[in-house]
Amino acid sequence: MYNELQINDPELYKAVHDEVLRQQHNLELIASENYTSKAVLEALGSVLTNKYAEGYPGKRYYGGCENVDVVENLAIERAKKLFGAEHANVQPHSGTTANISAYLSLIKPGDKVMGLNLDHGGHLSHGHPLNFSGKYFHIVHMNVNKDTELIDYDEMEKLIAKERPNLVMAGASNYSRQWDWARIKKICDVWKCFLITDIAHYAGLVAAGLYPSPVPYADIVTTTTHKTLRGPRGGLILSKACYKAAVNRTVFPGNQGGPLMHVIAAKAVCFREGLSDEFKTYQKQVLANARKLAAELQTLGYRIVSGGTDCHLMCVDLRAKNVTGKEAEVALDKAGITVNKNTIPYDPQKPMITSGIRIGTPAVTTRGFKEAEIVEVAGYIDEAIKHREDEVMLKSIKEKVAALCAKFPMYPGFEK
Ligand code: DSN
């Protein structure tokens, strides 16, 4: 598969090859990861990586941009169609850089921003003190309700009325329920603040019409393209037409230099795939698999934060099993199952230990798993956590996991 690398750089080749094998043989349950199509990989590996194209289609600072203009226009038009958006900027290198540009399109450093606390499912770029967002802006954090573990919109409005933020950042990286975007917009209108929604996690489900879309409500919507959306690693900004100039200026020259044209090409491929019927069928199965996994884990005695899921992910509270998120992550890794430790709301443990794990179904669904395989997956998770100190058992689970994965091959031939 990677002939030139294998011959010219065997040391690097070995790491890439080992990663191919890991992705083929392990159960990938990290909620923010997925397997792209070969077409996306081809675009990523194309000669477009060689081209500088600062600016936008038709208005570049370099010659020779006629082909990349076609590529970027395709990506923009497809993104707009996929999400029903008035404007799309496909240049952000990542979700976080999309968020930097989104904030600075609407507000200035020192202004007040309200976002969901990271420990309650938010994201670093929603105001964590160590992130640019927490350093540039005056942050007010909201938490989920302690009893329901849901966003409490009455509390949200009270906090907005008290703090009067200039902007609300709504969205999460670990919240399994639906956001009521229309309600948040109404609150923002009453208290005269901007609304950005970050749908990095939900984007694929939103595109398929299986999760509420914030596009009709938010001033700006940001997302990544590599999670449920199943495209290349990267960011995307959608906005109302009235913010087009501000968003474009803030992305370039505001926050970025040359766009990554090979990644933009891969985004265009992913948006086209997102418009297909096959993609809708896939997203339905992502959702069905997540619901099945949550129900199975509940049957096995695990508490799911907020009682279940309306999307591709769930947060599992491990306290009843007397195990921390860190211990579970390590044991599951040894059993060939990849998850990440995650804080649960009001977690008594530190962020590097945690009381929970976050699990998602996008990648295993791309593999072809349906509910029957998900029941097996839940069993292996439980077995690995129960036998976390038994290396022999963990090895035997790993073999069963590899056998299950072998029935649903990923990237056949890549290992050669
Ligand atoms: N790191 C991503 C996630 O895992 O959710 C968010 O950026």
Side-chain angles (χ1 to χ4, degrees):
M1 171 65 192
Y2 299 100
N3 291 341
E4 289 291 325
L5 266 187
Q6 189 168 13
I7 296 162
N8 295 325
D9 194 342
E11 200 180 3
L12 193 280
Y13 169 77
K14 183 179 178 320
V16 175
H17 186 254
D18 286 349
E19 179 59 13
V20 168
L21 298 181
R22 191 192 70 80
Q23 291 191 18
Q24 287 180 333
H25 301 315
N26 281 29
L27 273 183
E28 184 53 74
L29 292 173
I30 290 184
S32 48
E33 294 188 14
N34 213 329
Y35 299 105
T36 70
S37 68
K38 287 187 186 172
V40 165
L41 291 180
E42 276 179 19
L44 279 173
S46 70
V47 295
L48 296 177
T49 193
N50 297 334
K51 189 72 197 100
Y52 249 121
E54 286 179 8
Y56 290 98
K59 277 179 254 149
R60 304 282 191 186
Y61 288 82
Y62 291 82
C65 287
E66 60 274 21
N67 302 314
V68 291
D69 276 3
V70 174
V71 167
E72 187 162 349
N73 278 328
L74 279 174
I76 291 168
E77 290 311 314
R78 290 174 183 177
K80 282 162 62 179
K81 187 167 176 198
L82 186 60
F83 290 99
E86 292 173 10
H87 173 59
N89 186 306
V90 297
Q91 294 194 2
H93 300 329
S94 73
T96 292
T97 58
N99 283 341
I100 296 176
S101 296
Y103 288 122
L104 294 172
S105 297
L106 300 173
I107 57 172
K108 49 186 196 321
D111 281 352
K112 204 182 254 192
V113 170
M114 194 175 109
L116 182 63
N117 200 331
L118 180 65
D119 295 349
H120 288 239
H123 187 253
L124 277 173
S125 62
H126 300 182
H128 191 278
L130 295 177
N131 184 263
F132 82 93
S133 51
K135 293 182 192 293
Y136 283 17
F137 303 113
H138 178 158
I139 300 294
V140 184
H141 270 138
M142 58 179 176
N143 294 330
V144 294
N145 180 283
K146 199 162 188 175
D147 300 322
T148 61
E149 296 173 313
L150 300 175
I151 302 289
D152 183 331
Y153 295 97
D154 292 333
E155 281 305 313
M156 185 190 229
E157 180 155 20
K158 273 190 212 153
L159 197 57
I160 291 175
K162 177 167 169 251
E163 296 286 348
R164 302 300 307 272
N166 304 91
L167 183 148
V168 170
M169 166 57 94
S173 60
N174 189 25
Y175 184 69
S176 64
R177 298 308 198 166
Q178 292 190 352
W179 284 81
D180 188 343
W181 311 119
R183 180 138 182 220
I184 300 174
K185 172 63 176 159
K186 229 172 167 178
I187 299 171
C188 288
D189 282 348
V190 169
W191 297 100
K192 308 253 175 298
C193 47
F194 291 113
L195 174 61
I196 299 178
T197 61
D198 178 346
I199 56 163
H201 266 272
Y202 315 112
L205 293 163
V206 169
L210 298 169
Y211 192 93
S213 172
V215 171
Y217 308 106
D219 295 296
I220 296 182
V221 177
T222 62
T223 184
T224 53
T225 47
H226 51 272
K227 298 184 174 90
T228 47
L229 204 48
R230 209 163 63 173
R233 194 158 289 283
L236 167 69
I237 299 178
L238 306 165
S239 78
K240 305 275 181 224
C242 59
Y243 299 117
K244 176 175 174 175
V247 165
N248 283 359
R249 215 174 27 241
T250 315
V251 172
F252 174 83
N255 291 307
Q256 292 187 175
L260 309 176
M261 292 314 306
H262 57 309
V263 181
I264 290 173
K267 288 175 187 171
V269 175
C270 137
F271 301 147
R272 183 172 177 277
E273 291 172 353
L275 287 160
S276 68
D277 289 342
E278 185 278 330
F279 189 74
K280 280 200 178 70
T281 308
Y282 160 68
Q283 293 297 344
K284 275 188 194 149
Q285 194 63 50
V286 166
L287 201 53
N289 284 350
R291 289 192 170 133
K292 184 72 181 168
L293 186 53
E296 284 296 306
L297 290 172
Q298 282 168 326
T299 306
L300 292 165
Y302 293 84
R303 194 182 80 82
I304 305 296
V305 168
S306 85
T309 181
D310 300 324
C311 64
H312 60 296
L313 66 78
M314 68 212 69
C315 185
V316 186
D317 178 355
L318 298 166
R319 288 174 300 174
K321 301 284 181 181
N322 256 331
V323 56
T324 66
K326 183 178 176 191
E327 288 164 340
E329 182 188 293
V330 170
L332 289 166
D333 237 340
K334 287 182 185 167
I337 303 171
T338 315
V339 302
N340 63 282
K341 60 179 170 294
N342 219 111
T343 50
I344 58 169
Y346 304 95
D347 202 321
Q349 297 283 3
K350 294 198 176 81
M352 284 308 285
I353 307 289
T354 80
S355 300
I357 48 175
R358 186 186 63 163
I359 307 183
T361 55
V364 290
T365 308
T366 297
R367 268 205 116 101
F369 282 20
K370 295 209 164 61
E371 286 87 337
E373 289 76 33
I374 291 295
V375 174
E376 250 184 272
V377 169
Y380 295 143
I381 292 173
D382 184 43
E383 287 289 300
I385 289 177
K386 263 193 206 142
H387 299 288
R388 59 189 172 277
E389 274 153 24
D390 183 340
E391 299 290 333
V392 177
M393 268 302 283
L394 292 173
K395 188 162 174 279
S396 130
I397 299 166
K398 188 178 169 87
E399 281 160 15
K400 290 183 208 163
V401 162
L404 174 62
C405 290
K407 287 195 230 163
F408 297 86
M410 275 317 299
Y411 302 130
F414 275 35
E415 70 284 359
K416 283 179 197 138

